[in-house]
Amino acid sequence: MSASLLDRIVVVLDHPKDVVNIAAVMRAMMNMGLSTLRLVRPDEFDPYRIEGIAHRSGPLIESTTIVDTLAEAVEDCVFVVGTTARARTANRNYVRPRPLAAEMLERAAEGPVALVFGREDRGLTNEGLDLCHRVAIIPTHAEYSSLNLAQAFLVLAYELHLAAVEGGEALPEGRRADRPATLGELEGMYEALQNGLGRIDFFKGTRRADAVVRTLRTVLSRADLDRRESKLIQAIGFEIGNYMDRHQVQADRRPVPGPEGRDHDGSSA
């Protein structure tokens, strides 16, 4: 998928009543790489208030189109997706957001694709849903099924963005990201851990050394350690041993009390 296909996604708000929700949708559009917004007879459209809520939204505000009917807003689109909080009694092509996002981008290669949201207090009308090829339902907890307009839009916009950049946008790495640890480095790490744990008598009773180390191998192998991480864990094992050595030296240097509370050098304890 290509992020450029997001340019062909047309966001349509049908009769939105609250300018705050329009601003929230614009903010989410900018977050998720969407750039085309059409409003069907909004109750209020105040660019000053919108830009105060959705900072740096000036270009999107200027490009927003206001039309009189939903049919007019989607007439140039090759694929129209509506949204609803729950299935209606009429038969519709209901779908979940994740598979829908991939289908929308595939259809966007052919022409504009509309993503339509109804009025905040009542959603899309049945006549509005009649214009839609698919109807998205976002799964929510049964007792709290209703999402507000901005929440619902962000879920669908996120799925679109995710599908558009799949495989093309790497996750950020840590500042000191390193190559994967080699088998030799991992074996050195396990050996240091085993020796260190042995020095503090960790292996006693039912804690057999081979069983404990095998469990550590299982846990740490799931982490896919890099070289730096394996060296850090190896150093923990070494430091346990070093600490025990220092402790033993200090213990050897302490005077040993002699008979009647006197040290071996004859002084009082």
Side-chain angles (χ1 to χ4, degrees):
M1 293 295 179
S2 169
S4 64
L5 292 176
L6 292 175
D7 294 335
R8 294 190 174 185
I9 302 298
V10 178
V11 179
V12 179
L13 305 185
D14 186 23
H15 289 80
K17 59 183 292 189
D18 193 335
V19 71
V20 173
N21 287 328
I22 296 174
V25 167
M26 285 190 177
R27 177 62 181 268
M29 287 178 66
M30 293 187 294
N31 291 146
M32 298 301 161
L34 299 167
S35 58
T36 304
L37 176 63
R38 297 175 185 172
L39 305 178
V40 181
R41 300 188 67 179
D43 285 5
E44 181 183 7
F45 186 75
D46 184 339
Y48 180 79
R49 284 191 64 197
I50 291 172
E51 192 159 14
I53 299 168
H55 302 296
R56 296 187 294 176
S57 60
L60 183 53
I61 293 172
E62 292 178 6
S63 65
T64 296
T65 303
I66 298 178
V67 298
D68 288 328
T69 66
L70 180 57
E72 183 182 353
V74 300
E75 64 182 356
D76 63 333
C77 297
V78 299
F79 192 63
V80 179
V81 174
T83 54
T84 186
R86 61 194 180 280
R88 312 283 182 97
T89 54
N91 290 329
R92 307 284 182 193
N93 293 315
Y94 297 112
V95 65
R96 294 299 191 200
R98 185 151 298 176
L100 174 64
E103 184 179 12
M104 289 177 68
L105 291 176
E106 289 175 3
R107 299 300 299 269
E110 304 167 357
V113 169
L115 178 58
V116 184
F117 293 83
R119 190 173 174 86
E120 293 94 322
D121 54 354
R122 61 174 181 262
L124 284 172
T125 64
N126 281 325
E127 291 74 20
L129 290 171
D130 288 340
L131 299 175
C132 300
H133 298 89
R134 303 283 186 276
V135 178
I137 298 180
I138 299 170
T140 55
H141 191 280
E143 290 185 41
Y144 302 95
S145 60
S146 180
L147 297 173
N148 66 36
L149 175 58
Q151 289 175 320
F153 174 74
L154 184 56
V155 169
L156 284 155
Y158 167 76
E159 291 295 346
L160 281 167
H161 180 76
L162 188 66
V165 301
E166 193 73 44
E169 184 175 292
L171 291 172
E173 295 183 337
R175 187 171 58 181
R176 296 184 178 179
D178 207 343
R179 61 164 174 78
T182 65
L183 181 61
E185 288 165 343
L186 291 175
E187 289 303 310
M189 176 189 73
Y190 292 126
E191 181 180 0
L193 277 177
Q194 182 169 348
N195 290 339
L197 293 172
R199 292 292 304 279
I200 60 173
D201 293 330
F202 187 82
F203 306 119
K204 56 187 177 182
T206 59
R207 293 180 187 158
R208 297 193 342 262
D210 59 341
V212 170
V213 173
R214 186 170 295 118
T215 299
L216 289 174
R217 285 178 179 272
T218 300
V219 172
L220 293 174
S221 64
R222 286 200 294 266
D224 290 329
L225 300 175
D226 64 25
R227 183 188 66 87
R228 185 178 61 86
E229 292 164 340
S230 70
K231 292 298 183 184
L232 175 62
I233 296 174
Q234 184 181 47
I236 293 172
F238 288 149
E239 190 54 35
I240 293 173
N242 293 337
Y243 174 83
M244 295 302 294
D245 289 338
R246 292 193 298 270
H247 185 74
Q248 186 61 53
V249 169
Q250 292 171 359
D252 292 342
R253 288 176 178 172
R254 291 196 192 100
V256 179
E260 299 179 358
R262 294 180 176 275
D263 295 332
H264 286 305
D265 61 4
S267 60
S268 298

